[in-house]
Structures are given as structure tokens and as C-alpha cells.
Amino acid sequence: GSTFAYQLAFAGGHAVTVIARPDSPRLRQLQRDGAIVRDDGTRAPVTVADRLDTATPYDLVIVTVPAQQVDTLIPALRDSAAARILFMVNQFDPERLRDAIGPARCDFGMPFVQASLDADGRLHAVIGAGGQKSKLSAQRWADVFNAAGLPAVLEPDMLRWLRCHAPLCVAFEAVSVAGMRRGGGASWGEAAVLARGVQACFALIVSGGDQLYPAGKRRLY
């Protein structure tokens, strides 16, 4: 979220409001700085809030919380006067979010950036490493992201892409955590368990009558 806010404000020239959790360290950092501050000291001034003002007619609200925290935001998003809601959240069942908000106002994406905040709230971000591009369900937002230095591409079947990518996200993140805890790589046993889990998740998708997408995931299965 901080990476998107920085790029859209600094490089894209947009008026950006960032929302951080009430009483959180991140909120206090943002209120202190009045900006997203990168680790090289560059600043992107932003408006800071601790909740979504449902009366403000934002052009776009970008949701970047983890999937398990999205449900708490649905009432405010549904009541929001924003023109569009963009979920940049990997979800196994994105249709549920689309139906909760309304298809006419809802877009989806998958961010491909690597970013972290230091103890002082300064942002370190790597964007577009290895040619990676964030995927978006609407060309309009892909154009906005690209103009702000956030490489992005249209994904015409974004909902299926997200559902089929969720099992890989779980596996990649779980194996990374295991390796970090050990101070090295994950064990073969841990990798095998996760591989079987991905296969089982893919089988669940297929048994539900859907297709694995894109073709690379079918080959992996």
C-alpha cells in the first residue's frame, strides 16, 4: 500500500489519501511525516486518515490488506461514495467480494512489488524486478499504474487468475517462513508437504468445475 501511495503521488502526480489502522505505529509514523518517505529520504506528501470517509467521492480506493482482513472493510467499502474499488488482494473466492460491493464498481489486481518498512517507517521498495508487472482487471488502471512507474498489465481473466494463484501464494509464503525460521532453506520434507498441498488445492479447483489458469499452472498440476 505504501509503495502504491508513494508512486501514485510522487511520480503520478495524484492526490492520495492513505488510511492506516487506528492507533497503529504506522498511523503515527504517517501523521508525523505527512508523507510516504523512502529510505533515500525522498518524500511523497499524502493526506493521512485512520478510516475511510464514506462521503468522499474518491476516483479509486485501493484495498491492500491481507485477504483474511478484507471482510472487516466490506461495510465501509459498500457505503463509500468512491467511483471504483480496486482489490489488490490475492483471494481464492474474489467473486464474493465482487458481489458484496457490486460488479459495476469493483476491480481486481495482483501486486508484484517487493517492499518493506524500517522501524522508522521509511519505505524500501523494489518495483518491476525481473520484468514482473502487477496484473489488473481494467486497462484504465493499468494505464494509471504504468504512468506512475508501477509496471502493470491487463489480465482479462483476473478472477480465475487470482483463484488459481492463491494456492501458490500460500505455499511460497509458508516455505519462506520455514526457511527464515531455520536461517536457511526449507527442508525437503516441508517442500514436499507444500507441494502436495498445492496439488490438492488445484484438484479442488478442477473438481469444482473450473479450469486451472493460465496454462503454466495446468502444467504444474
Side-chain angles (χ1 to χ4, degrees):
S2 292
T3 303
F4 291 155
Y6 180 91
Q7 292 296 132
L8 289 168
F10 185 84
H14 299 279
V16 176
T17 296
V18 297
I19 302 171
R21 293 170 181 81
D23 302 318
S24 65
R26 184 58 178 152
L27 177 63
R28 291 191 289 273
Q29 292 166 351
L30 290 165
Q31 289 172 332
R32 177 198 67 207
D33 296 333
I36 306 293
V37 183
R38 288 202 58 146
D39 52 3
D40 63 2
T42 56
R43 301 166 56 88
V46 295
T47 301
V48 180
D50 65 358
R51 58 182 49 84
L52 176 65
D53 180 1
T54 57
T56 299
Y58 296 108
D59 296 317
L60 179 67
V61 171
I62 306 176
V63 182
T64 61
V65 301
Q68 67 270 20
Q69 297 176 358
V70 170
D71 284 355
T72 61
L73 306 180
I74 292 298
L77 293 170
R78 189 166 42 222
D79 294 343
S80 171
R84 304 291 295 186
I85 309 294
L86 171 60
F87 288 99
M88 294 295 282
V89 180
N90 195 199
Q91 274 274 344
F92 189 76
D93 54 351
E95 292 86 356
R96 183 177 63 85
L97 301 180
R98 177 199 62 194
D99 295 342
I101 301 300
R105 301 176 61 214
C106 203
D107 292 304
F108 289 87
M110 178 67 187
F112 279 100
V113 298
Q114 293 82 49
S116 60
L117 299 170
D118 67 18
D120 200 40
R122 290 157 64 101
L123 171 69
H124 176 74
V126 178
I127 303 170
Q132 287 187 323
K133 297 182 179 182
S134 294
K135 297 184 181 296
L136 293 160
S137 63
Q139 185 63 54
R140 174 186 180 184
W141 305 131
D143 293 342
V144 168
F145 274 44
N146 279 309
L150 292 160
V153 64
L154 175 68
E155 171 47 63
D157 201 349
M158 193 74 236
L159 300 189
R160 179 173 285 137
W161 193 99
L162 288 170
R163 178 163 40 258
C164 294
H165 195 67
L168 292 182
C169 273
V170 172
F172 292 157
E173 292 176 12
V175 83
S176 297
V177 168
M180 288 294 290
R181 285 175 175 168
R182 181 177 291 106
S187 70
W188 281 112
E190 289 163 338
V193 168
L194 291 166
R196 289 195 294 272
V198 170
Q199 187 176 42
C201 288
F202 281 169
L204 182 64
I205 293 170
V206 172
S207 68
D210 206 350
Q211 291 183 336
L212 293 176
Y213 177 84
K217 290 187 174 66
R218 291 197 294 272
R219 290 194 295 271
L220 182 62
Y221 178 47

